[in-house]
């Protein structure tokens, strides 16, 4: 296995070394292309493309070089040489066809490199030379024209002109081009050419002018019509189209006889053409044409033709009809030539027949269809048939009884939109709003299924029941709606709040009822509120004008209360009622007992002080006071004992008592009577908290 790897690596190294040795002693460093004498030259200049290649090599033998010249990326020349001199590519007497981008590419011993593109621009073109095969021709005779572009090469296209107009004949070489000049008289013919070097085109100046004379043909058409005067519709005419001279020199000539755009007949030059035609008014235009080669000779005559009867007119009555109505169509010709008719009656026909139609003397009566329809009538006499214009009949759909309704809510004292709409009916529809048989307003609607909108002010609750509307879309009796049926919302005008019970003890633990009364159209949403909180205590919806809310009182319910009543129109707020929630009776009794106990304790203290003073101690007399003298249930009580200059205080309040139902202070001791310090002579005053 190791030997195989050694052999493989040796072969790969040898191959690599031999491959690199092939290019190691030769390298093309640059290839440059230049144009001499310049890259912009005039026509006829001898141009040389010089290709110079630089090579680095250690070889002493002659090296083979292959040069390739391309124009616009297409190879135009290859050259193999062993010379180290610059390669020269010659463009003798350059032409515009030599314009383009050139490149040079050099190949040598497996090496290859190309030059940058160089653009050559050659200006100037030779003046073309025009030659005609004839100087004088007859109408329709062909002429051969040859346009020469001396010395020009490449892709060439020739153009020919008759005066300022193109002859529409073009040739891609100098071979003759055949054309037939149009019109008698003198013509000036010229030519030009264009050289195409894609994507560009180079145009030459115009050639010399060559005069060409075109003579008129000696023959021509002859047109005769009999009679030519006092011709009426339907009269027979004899028309002859012939040639005025011998046609032996023109065996391929052709005669054509036509009336307007209708070809009546045709024939060769050896036959006279006779035709009988039916004249139609008001004018008869007849043309006789003679074609010789490409020449055309024309003879034309116009004959005035009197109408036998005029084109009929189809009319409808009445001018506006509804589906199912009776329609009367009248078909009449207003101008008649009675003498020429000779008593022959006119025959009227309605081309779009309808069931159950009656007709007489051009009058057609039938029922209008449910769809739009087009009608035409015809009149026939003496073989002449004339048709009326199309009459479009669009039967209207009658309006249905309109429906009246309101948009939005009807609120007393505000504007309201009233809608009036007929489910069927062809617009425009005229809607009229009425109030108590008196016209209020009118609206014309131009679109299908679009209601008429009326704006009114609601001033009374029963006012809307007086409105109805009428709809009409033509000469029919208007349709009436029912009277408007809708409820008027009376806005909330006031609200009143009262409290039950109205007297007595409003204290903790008792229930209280808030009653809200109001005026306004139900349903009404009622909410109860207190001034200290924007959130509602309770919400309810009622269809009567009063409602209530009951709850159990606590001390925190002391506040000002009000109610808010709202319907679909607006909302109002009631008066404010203040609730003062008193303390429960058992709390009052307990507080009174506590006060008595505190006072008793202080009295006993005073007695002790008095006894001490009697024993000879120098102590001033003691005084006892309670504030306030008549406490309320939630007042703070202060009991003061004054002994000389020393003051002893004891205080309590109902709130502290209410918060400590277990009878303990914050420090955990039982709240009962106040205790004086052991040494009262060392302090001037004491604040003794007492909890009840």
């Amino acid at each position: 296995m190791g030997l195989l790897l050694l052999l493989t690596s040796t072969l790969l190294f040898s191959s690599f070394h031999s491959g690199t040795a092939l290019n190691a002693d030769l390298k093309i460093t640059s290839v440059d292309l230049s144009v001499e004498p310049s890259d912009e030259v005039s026509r006829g200049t001898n141009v040389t493309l010089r290709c110079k290649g630089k090579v680095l090599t250690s070889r002493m033998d002659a090296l083979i070089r292959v040069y390739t010249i391309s124009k616009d990326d297409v190879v135009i020349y290859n050259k193999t040489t062993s010379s180290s001199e610059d390669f020269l590519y010659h463009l003798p007497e350059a032409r515009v066809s030599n314009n383009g981008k050139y490149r040079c590419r050099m190949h040598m011993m497996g090496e290859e490199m190309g030059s940058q593109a160089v653009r050559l621009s050659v200006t100037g073109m030779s003046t073309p030379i025009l030659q005609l095969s004839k100087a004088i021709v007859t109408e329709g005779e062909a002429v051969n024209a040859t346009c020469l572009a001396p010395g020009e090469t490449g892709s060439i296209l020739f153009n020919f002109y008759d005066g300022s107009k193109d002859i529409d004949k073009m040739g891609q070489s100098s071979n003759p081009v055949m054309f037939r000049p149009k019109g008698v008289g003198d013509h000036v013919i010229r030519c030009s050419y264009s050289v195409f070097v894609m994507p560009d085109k180079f145009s030459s100046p115009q050639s010399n002018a060559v005069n060409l004379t075109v003579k008129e043909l000696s023959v021509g058409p002859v047109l005769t019509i009999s009679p030519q005067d006092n011709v009426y519709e339907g009269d027979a005419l004899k028309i002859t189209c012939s040639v005025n001279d011998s046609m032996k020199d023109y065996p391929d000539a052709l005669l054509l006889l036509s009336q307007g755009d209708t070809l009546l007949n045709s024939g060769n030059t050896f036959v006279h053409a006779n035709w009988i035609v039916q004249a139609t008014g008001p004018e008869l235009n007849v043309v006789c044409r003679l074609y010789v080669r490409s020449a055309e000779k024309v003879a034309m005559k116009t004959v005035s033709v009197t109408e036998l009867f005029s084109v009929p007119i189809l009319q409808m009555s009445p001018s506006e009809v509804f589906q199912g109505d009776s329609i009367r169509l009248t078909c009449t010709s207003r101008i008649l030539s009675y003498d020429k008719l000779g008593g022959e009656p006119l025959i009227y026909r309605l081309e779009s027949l309808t069931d159950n139609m009656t007709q007489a003397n051009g009058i057609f009566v039938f029922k209008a269809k449910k769809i739009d329809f087009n009608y035409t009538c015809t009149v026939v006499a003496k073989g002449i048939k004339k048709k009326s214009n199309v009459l479009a009949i669009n039967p209207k759909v009658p309006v249905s009884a309109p429906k009246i309704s309101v948009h939005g809510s009807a609120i007393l004292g505000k504007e309201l939109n009233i809608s009036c709409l007929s489910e069927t009916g062809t617009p425009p529809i005229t809607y009229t709003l009425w109030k108590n048989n008196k016209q209020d307003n009118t609206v014309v609607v131009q679109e299908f299924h679009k209601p008429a909108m009326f704006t009114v002010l609601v001033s009374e609750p029963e006012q809307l029941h007086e409105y109805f509307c009428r709809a009409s879309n033509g000469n029919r009796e208007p349709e009436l709606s029912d009277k408007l049926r809708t409820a008027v919302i009376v806005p909330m005008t006031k609200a009143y709040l009262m409290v039950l019970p109205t007297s007595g003890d409003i204290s903790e633990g008792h229930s209280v009822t808030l009653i809200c009364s109001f005026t306004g159209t139900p349903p009404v949403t009622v909410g109860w509120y207190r001034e200290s909180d924007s959130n509602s205590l309770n919400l309810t919806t009622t269809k009567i004008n009063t409602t209530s809310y009951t709850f159990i009182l606590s001390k925190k319910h002391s506040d000002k209360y009000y109610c808010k009543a709202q319907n679909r129109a607006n909302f109002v707020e009631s008066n404010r009622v203040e609730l003062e929630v008193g303390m429960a009776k058992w709390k009052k009794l307990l507080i009174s007992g506590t006060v008595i106990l505190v006072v008793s304790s202080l009295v006993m203290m005073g007695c002790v002080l008095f006894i001490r003073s009697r024993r000879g101690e120098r102590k001033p007399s003691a005084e006892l006071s309670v504030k306030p003298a008549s406490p309320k249930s939630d007042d703070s009580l202060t009991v003061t004992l004054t002994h000389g200059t020393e003051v002893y205080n004891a205080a309590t309040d109902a709130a502290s008592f209410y918060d400590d139902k277990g009878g303990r202070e914050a420090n955990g001791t039982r709240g009962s009577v106040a205790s004086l310090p052991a040494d009262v002579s060392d302090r001037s005053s004491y604040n003794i908290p007492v909890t009840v």
Side-chain angles (χ1 to χ4, degrees), residues 406-418 454-459 463-464 467 488:
V406 299
H407 278 224
S409 300
I411 300 175
L412 187 66
K414 294 187 177 181
E415 290 187 340
L416 172 68
N417 289 326
I418 298 177
F454 302 92
T455 302
V456 299
L457 178 65
V458 184
S459 56
Q463 168 191 356
L464 295 184
Y467 286 102
V488 176

mmCIF file of all heavy atoms in Angstrom, residues 406-418 454-459 463-464 467 488:
data_model
loop_
_atom_site.group_PDB
_atom_site.id
_atom_site.type_symbol
_atom_site.label_atom_id
_atom_site.label_comp_id
_atom_site.label_asym_id
_atom_site.label_seq_id
_atom_site.Cartn_x
_atom_site.Cartn_y
_atom_site.Cartn_z
ATOM 1 N N VAL A 406 -87.007 56.417 10.645
ATOM 2 C CA VAL A 406 -86.073 57.419 11.164
ATOM 3 C C VAL A 406 -84.686 56.808 11.203
ATOM 4 O O VAL A 406 -84.520 55.591 11.323
ATOM 5 C CB VAL A 406 -86.477 57.913 12.567
ATOM 6 C CG1 VAL A 406 -87.831 58.566 12.532
ATOM 7 C CG2 VAL A 406 -86.465 56.761 13.575
ATOM 8 N N HIS A 407 -83.680 57.661 11.087
ATOM 9 C CA HIS A 407 -82.280 57.259 11.216
ATOM 10 C C HIS A 407 -81.785 57.726 12.577
ATOM 11 O O HIS A 407 -81.726 58.927 12.845
ATOM 12 C CB HIS A 407 -81.443 57.858 10.094
ATOM 13 C CG HIS A 407 -81.500 57.082 8.814
ATOM 14 N ND1 HIS A 407 -80.402 56.804 8.060
ATOM 15 C CD2 HIS A 407 -82.548 56.493 8.186
ATOM 16 C CE1 HIS A 407 -80.763 56.094 6.997
ATOM 17 N NE2 HIS A 407 -82.054 55.907 7.054
ATOM 18 N N GLY A 408 -81.418 56.774 13.424
ATOM 19 C CA GLY A 408 -80.970 57.130 14.754
ATOM 20 C C GLY A 408 -82.138 57.222 15.720
ATOM 21 O O GLY A 408 -83.230 56.667 15.494
ATOM 22 N N SER A 409 -81.954 57.916 16.811
ATOM 23 C CA SER A 409 -82.970 58.051 17.857
ATOM 24 C C SER A 409 -83.634 59.415 17.761
ATOM 25 O O SER A 409 -82.993 60.427 17.475
ATOM 26 C CB SER A 409 -82.337 57.877 19.244
ATOM 27 O OG SER A 409 -81.737 56.605 19.368
ATOM 28 N N ALA A 410 -84.953 59.408 18.005
ATOM 29 C CA ALA A 410 -85.717 60.658 18.017
ATOM 30 C C ALA A 410 -85.672 61.230 19.425
ATOM 31 O O ALA A 410 -86.240 60.644 20.361
ATOM 32 C CB ALA A 410 -87.151 60.407 17.577
ATOM 33 N N ILE A 411 -84.999 62.360 19.584
ATOM 34 C CA ILE A 411 -84.807 62.977 20.893
ATOM 35 C C ILE A 411 -85.504 64.326 20.898
ATOM 36 O O ILE A 411 -85.303 65.144 19.994
ATOM 37 C CB ILE A 411 -83.313 63.128 21.208
ATOM 38 C CG1 ILE A 411 -82.635 61.748 21.212
ATOM 39 C CG2 ILE A 411 -83.112 63.829 22.539
ATOM 40 C CD1 ILE A 411 -81.135 61.816 21.384
ATOM 41 N N LEU A 412 -86.300 64.532 21.902
ATOM 42 C CA LEU A 412 -87.042 65.782 22.018
ATOM 43 C C LEU A 412 -86.084 66.965 22.078
ATOM 44 O O LEU A 412 -85.102 66.958 22.825
ATOM 45 C CB LEU A 412 -87.922 65.738 23.264
ATOM 46 C CG LEU A 412 -88.891 66.916 23.454
ATOM 47 C CD1 LEU A 412 -89.948 66.906 22.353
ATOM 48 C CD2 LEU A 412 -89.549 66.869 24.836
ATOM 49 N N GLY A 413 -86.368 67.969 21.218
ATOM 50 C CA GLY A 413 -85.556 69.169 21.197
ATOM 51 C C GLY A 413 -84.372 69.118 20.255
ATOM 52 O O GLY A 413 -83.637 70.092 20.145
ATOM 53 N N LYS A 414 -84.161 67.987 19.543
ATOM 54 C CA LYS A 414 -83.042 67.861 18.621
ATOM 55 C C LYS A 414 -83.537 67.526 17.219
ATOM 56 O O LYS A 414 -84.676 67.099 17.035
ATOM 57 C CB LYS A 414 -82.061 66.791 19.098
ATOM 58 C CG LYS A 414 -81.368 67.143 20.394
ATOM 59 C CD LYS A 414 -80.283 66.124 20.732
ATOM 60 C CE LYS A 414 -79.533 66.516 21.988
ATOM 61 N NZ LYS A 414 -78.451 65.554 22.325
ATOM 62 N N GLU A 415 -82.644 67.731 16.216
ATOM 63 C CA GLU A 415 -82.993 67.418 14.836
ATOM 64 C C GLU A 415 -82.955 65.912 14.598
ATOM 65 O O GLU A 415 -82.193 65.179 15.228
ATOM 66 C CB GLU A 415 -82.047 68.123 13.868
ATOM 67 C CG GLU A 415 -82.242 69.625 13.813
ATOM 68 C CD GLU A 415 -81.404 70.285 12.733
ATOM 69 O OE1 GLU A 415 -80.423 69.660 12.292
ATOM 70 O OE2 GLU A 415 -81.724 71.423 12.333
ATOM 71 N N LEU A 416 -83.775 65.481 13.643
ATOM 72 C CA LEU A 416 -83.923 64.061 13.342
ATOM 73 C C LEU A 416 -83.963 63.876 11.830
ATOM 74 O O LEU A 416 -84.573 64.681 11.110
ATOM 75 C CB LEU A 416 -85.205 63.521 13.975
ATOM 76 C CG LEU A 416 -85.611 62.088 13.608
ATOM 77 C CD1 LEU A 416 -84.607 61.101 14.197
ATOM 78 C CD2 LEU A 416 -87.015 61.784 14.094
ATOM 79 N N ASN A 417 -83.304 62.814 11.325
ATOM 80 C CA ASN A 417 -83.347 62.469 9.902
ATOM 81 C C ASN A 417 -84.440 61.446 9.653
ATOM 82 O O ASN A 417 -84.428 60.362 10.246
ATOM 83 C CB ASN A 417 -82.000 61.915 9.433
ATOM 84 C CG ASN A 417 -80.933 62.989 9.380
ATOM 85 O OD1 ASN A 417 -81.218 64.145 9.076
ATOM 86 N ND2 ASN A 417 -79.705 62.612 9.676
ATOM 87 N N ILE A 418 -85.361 61.813 8.767
ATOM 88 C CA ILE A 418 -86.456 60.918 8.375
ATOM 89 C C ILE A 418 -86.156 60.388 6.987
ATOM 90 O O ILE A 418 -85.840 61.152 6.068
ATOM 91 C CB ILE A 418 -87.812 61.642 8.409
ATOM 92 C CG1 ILE A 418 -88.119 62.106 9.841
ATOM 93 C CG2 ILE A 418 -88.923 60.749 7.880
ATOM 94 C CD1 ILE A 418 -89.408 62.885 9.972
ATOM 95 N N PHE A 454 -84.900 63.611 4.981
ATOM 96 C CA PHE A 454 -85.486 64.887 5.415
ATOM 97 C C PHE A 454 -85.058 65.143 6.858
ATOM 98 O O PHE A 454 -85.041 64.215 7.684
ATOM 99 C CB PHE A 454 -87.009 64.846 5.335
ATOM 100 C CG PHE A 454 -87.551 64.540 3.965
ATOM 101 C CD1 PHE A 454 -87.825 63.232 3.597
ATOM 102 C CD2 PHE A 454 -87.764 65.547 3.041
ATOM 103 C CE1 PHE A 454 -88.328 62.933 2.335
ATOM 104 C CE2 PHE A 454 -88.260 65.266 1.777
ATOM 105 C CZ PHE A 454 -88.535 63.948 1.428
ATOM 106 N N THR A 455 -84.716 66.383 7.175
ATOM 107 C CA THR A 455 -84.305 66.757 8.522
ATOM 108 C C THR A 455 -85.389 67.610 9.167
ATOM 109 O O THR A 455 -85.806 68.632 8.596
ATOM 110 C CB THR A 455 -82.976 67.533 8.495
ATOM 111 O OG1 THR A 455 -81.975 66.723 7.868
ATOM 112 C CG2 THR A 455 -82.527 67.877 9.900
ATOM 113 N N VAL A 456 -85.862 67.186 10.358
ATOM 114 C CA VAL A 456 -86.909 67.929 11.080
ATOM 115 C C VAL A 456 -86.442 68.128 12.518
ATOM 116 O O VAL A 456 -85.570 67.404 13.017
ATOM 117 C CB VAL A 456 -88.255 67.176 11.053
ATOM 118 C CG1 VAL A 456 -88.742 66.989 9.626
ATOM 119 C CG2 VAL A 456 -88.144 65.831 11.747
ATOM 120 N N LEU A 457 -87.042 69.119 13.187
ATOM 121 C CA LEU A 457 -86.772 69.383 14.592
ATOM 122 C C LEU A 457 -87.895 68.782 15.421
ATOM 123 O O LEU A 457 -89.084 69.089 15.204
ATOM 124 C CB LEU A 457 -86.666 70.885 14.848
ATOM 125 C CG LEU A 457 -86.423 71.303 16.302
ATOM 126 C CD1 LEU A 457 -85.061 70.805 16.780
ATOM 127 C CD2 LEU A 457 -86.518 72.822 16.461
ATOM 128 N N VAL A 458 -87.545 67.913 16.372
ATOM 129 C CA VAL A 458 -88.553 67.282 17.235
ATOM 130 C C VAL A 458 -88.842 68.244 18.378
ATOM 131 O O VAL A 458 -88.038 68.396 19.298
ATOM 132 C CB VAL A 458 -88.039 65.926 17.762
ATOM 133 C CG1 VAL A 458 -89.127 65.239 18.571
ATOM 134 C CG2 VAL A 458 -87.605 65.037 16.607
ATOM 135 N N SER A 459 -90.009 68.875 18.310
ATOM 136 C CA SER A 459 -90.366 69.868 19.328
ATOM 137 C C SER A 459 -91.415 69.358 20.304
ATOM 138 O O SER A 459 -91.566 69.924 21.389
ATOM 139 C CB SER A 459 -90.882 71.146 18.652
ATOM 140 O OG SER A 459 -91.982 70.850 17.802
ATOM 141 N N GLN A 463 -95.266 64.733 17.997
ATOM 142 C CA GLN A 463 -95.164 65.416 16.703
ATOM 143 C C GLN A 463 -94.872 64.456 15.554
ATOM 144 O O GLN A 463 -95.428 64.591 14.456
ATOM 145 C CB GLN A 463 -94.055 66.476 16.790
ATOM 146 C CG GLN A 463 -93.637 67.065 15.462
ATOM 147 C CD GLN A 463 -92.378 67.905 15.580
ATOM 148 O OE1 GLN A 463 -91.869 68.104 16.668
ATOM 149 N NE2 GLN A 463 -91.871 68.379 14.461
ATOM 150 N N LEU A 464 -94.024 63.451 15.770
ATOM 151 C CA LEU A 464 -93.596 62.595 14.665
ATOM 152 C C LEU A 464 -94.726 61.769 14.087
ATOM 153 O O LEU A 464 -94.657 61.347 12.933
ATOM 154 C CB LEU A 464 -92.464 61.675 15.136
ATOM 155 C CG LEU A 464 -91.162 62.371 15.533
ATOM 156 C CD1 LEU A 464 -90.097 61.352 15.874
ATOM 157 C CD2 LEU A 464 -90.660 63.277 14.408
ATOM 158 N N TYR A 467 -96.216 62.808 10.582
ATOM 159 C CA TYR A 467 -95.475 62.813 9.315
ATOM 160 C C TYR A 467 -95.792 61.587 8.463
ATOM 161 O O TYR A 467 -95.974 60.478 8.985
ATOM 162 C CB TYR A 467 -93.963 62.847 9.580
ATOM 163 C CG TYR A 467 -93.441 64.177 10.041
ATOM 164 C CD1 TYR A 467 -93.157 64.415 11.379
ATOM 165 C CD2 TYR A 467 -93.223 65.213 9.120
ATOM 166 C CE1 TYR A 467 -92.668 65.633 11.806
ATOM 167 C CE2 TYR A 467 -92.732 66.435 9.539
ATOM 168 C CZ TYR A 467 -92.460 66.642 10.882
ATOM 169 O OH TYR A 467 -91.975 67.855 11.299
ATOM 170 N N VAL A 488 -90.502 58.975 20.795
ATOM 171 C CA VAL A 488 -89.661 60.152 21.026
ATOM 172 C C VAL A 488 -89.054 60.040 22.417
ATOM 173 O O VAL A 488 -89.762 59.821 23.404
ATOM 174 C CB VAL A 488 -90.466 61.449 20.885
ATOM 175 C CG1 VAL A 488 -89.606 62.655 21.233
ATOM 176 C CG2 VAL A 488 -91.007 61.579 19.475
#
